[in-house]
Amino acid sequence: PIEVVMFSALKQILEIQDLDIKMLRLMRVKKERLAELEHIAALRRDLKNQQNDKALEIDELNKTIFTQESKIADIKEKLKKLEAKQSSIKKVEEFNALTQEMSSLERERVNTEHLTSDLIDKKNAEEEILEKIKHSLVTSNESSKALEEEIINNINLINSEGKVLKEKRDILIKDADQEILKIYEKLLKNKKDRVVVPMENRTCSGCHIALTAQHENAVRKGERLVFCEHCSRILYWQEAQELEKVDTTRRRRRALKS
């Protein structure tokens, strides 16, 4: 029958499609595995960035503390000199003026020491946070190492399986109808899913939308490629597969008799 001839032309495309669907599934799984690797790497990068930022923050605090401590030392030195000068002054006005200056310096010293003390407390707190970040980074590296190895091994297996599928596909496409193959590959590229599907109960089994009786007759006759008017998939008559098996069996019997 004619439908058997058309189905025979599509049969190799269906075999190619089975391989392509397996490869598409593998690619999706591989993409997920690669995303998992990137997520692990992103977490590690984030912790390293936190560590670097915190170290820079502590370094800036150390510089500020050093500046404040130098300022305190300068104030103390000025106070020491003023005290020495004050002991040799006999005029009350000059003595009172030095006393006011020393009081002002003393207030500045106290304020600077309070500020420096707060900065030291902040630095100590930041150093504790830094140690926690370092610990988290070490722990993360240790815990993710086994997971990364497992994912990489999984990706290697996917690559190996994909290579075998591609080799089988390369063999099949040599004998396939090249015109139908081009149409099939274009559809597959757009849909990333099965594009050669059987008609079931006058319905496209790809988009599951009912088709017309005229469509059903065209698919049943199998004189040409028939596309679903809704999703553009290539349709074939489901019973053609059984008819092809019967036709093949008959040919074998005739060959045996002869």
Side-chain angles (χ1 to χ4, degrees), residues 75-87:
I75 293 170
K76 286 181 177 179
E77 186 63 28
K78 286 179 182 179
L79 282 168
K80 190 176 179 182
K81 288 178 180 179
L82 288 174
E83 284 172 2
K85 188 177 180 181
Q86 191 181 45
S87 62

Side-chain angles (χ1 to χ4, degrees), residues 217-232:
N217 288 333
V219 175
R220 188 193 291 268
K221 287 179 181 177
E223 295 174 346
R224 57 182 174 80
L225 283 183
V226 181
F227 300 90
C228 172
E229 59 187 5
H230 302 289
C231 69
S232 301

Side-chain angles (χ1 to χ4, degrees), residues 23-76:
M23 285 194 281
L24 284 171
R25 286 171 184 162
L26 284 177
M27 289 304 295
R28 280 195 285 269
V29 174
K30 182 179 177 179
K31 190 176 179 181
E32 289 169 5
R33 295 289 91 88
L34 288 170
E36 288 171 13
L37 277 181
E38 175 53 31
H39 179 66
I40 293 168
L43 288 175
R44 189 181 293 120
R45 284 196 302 271
D46 183 53
L47 284 171
K48 284 183 178 178
N49 288 336
Q50 288 182 41
Q51 178 180 299
N52 292 335
D53 291 344
K54 195 59 65 180
L56 287 171
E57 192 176 342
I58 291 168
D59 188 51
E60 288 300 316
L61 282 169
N62 280 327
K63 289 176 182 177
T64 306
I65 290 167
F66 178 78
T67 301
Q68 294 298 100
E69 287 176 339
S70 298
K71 186 177 179 181
I72 293 167
D74 289 341
I75 293 170
K76 286 181 177 179

Side-chain angles (χ1 to χ4, degrees), residues 22-23 26 156-166:
K22 287 177 183 176
M23 285 194 281
L26 284 177
N156 289 336
L157 287 173
I158 289 171
N159 289 337
S160 297
E161 191 174 344
K163 185 180 178 183
V164 172
L165 290 172
K166 187 180 182 304

Side-chain angles (χ1 to χ4, degrees), residues 139-150:
T139 304
S140 175
N141 285 337
E142 289 174 353
S143 62
S144 64
K145 188 177 180 181
L147 180 58
E148 283 179 304
E149 288 177 358
E150 181 186 339

